[in-house]
Amino acid sequence: MNNHPVQQIHLLSGEELICEVMDYEEVEGNIIIRNAMVIETNIFENNDRVYMFKPWFLYIERSTEMIMLKVDHVVASVTPNDLLLIQYYSAVNDMDKVADDRVKEHNKNEAMKLKRLLENMKDLVDLKKEPEEKKPKSKSNIINFVPPDTTFH
């Protein structure tokens, strides 16, 4: 492994990663990486090529989240060129923003669920506190066979 913190790594599976190498455990044969992204190539009908970065693991999108990669799965590694590094750092920033937005949206949805639950609980408490005459009368399923006092003699 090179000493540069960002490496472009080709795996036995054929995947090509770009990531920050945080540590190399020589004895264990592990590489600790973060911000790992797969480099995907799309070729259009006119032979134009587009390269994309996407997170290697779903929802592992924060700089605090580490991944352990077995060195046995690495075919080759290189230090990426400057243009690829610029694009990688931009993609890492975008990935961070997406993760932040996802957490904010999740928290907002959970807060709305909690608010609805509290409103329902309040309605139930208010219903229990209402006087008997204000409570809606439920229809009885008992049929009266004795007619009201409207009989003629």
Side-chain angles (χ1 to χ4, degrees), residues 60-122:
I60 304 298
E61 303 165 329
R62 300 229 182 246
S63 296
T64 56
E65 299 168 320
M66 304 295 165
I67 301 170
M68 184 174 63
L69 174 65
K70 291 289 189 185
V71 76
D72 300 347
H73 297 275
V74 175
V75 175
S77 73
V78 297
T79 301
N81 67 36
D82 291 341
L83 181 58
L84 190 59
L85 280 172
I86 290 167
Q87 292 171 349
Y88 169 72
Y89 285 125
S90 175
V92 167
N93 287 335
D94 289 346
M95 186 170 65
D96 248 359
K97 288 176 189 169
V98 166
D100 286 343
D101 291 346
R102 185 179 296 117
V103 168
K104 286 177 188 173
E105 185 66 26
H106 173 76
N107 290 344
K108 180 181 169 185
N109 290 339
E110 290 301 309
M112 291 303 291
K113 287 180 192 174
L114 185 59
K115 182 180 177 185
R116 283 193 297 273
L117 178 66
L118 290 173
E119 287 171 353
N120 290 341
M121 289 173 65
K122 182 184 178 295

Side-chain angles (χ1 to χ4, degrees), residues 9 11 13 15-19 31 33-40 53-61 66-70 73-74 95:
I9 300 172
L11 301 176
S13 66
E15 290 176 300
E16 190 171 336
L17 302 180
I18 185 166
C19 59
I31 305 167
I33 61 175
R34 71 176 182 182
N35 295 326
M37 295 193 183
V38 176
I39 302 172
E40 289 191 353
F53 296 119
K54 69 181 215 182
W56 189 30
F57 280 87
L58 292 177
Y59 292 100
I60 304 298
E61 303 165 329
M66 304 295 165
I67 301 170
M68 184 174 63
L69 174 65
K70 291 289 189 185
H73 297 275
V74 175
M95 186 170 65

Side-chain angles (χ1 to χ4, degrees), residues 2 10 22 66 78 107-109 118 125-126 139-140:
N2 299 329
H10 192 81
M22 305 307 293
M66 304 295 165
V78 297
N107 290 344
K108 180 181 169 185
N109 290 339
L118 290 173
V125 168
D126 290 348
K139 292 184 179 180
S140 174

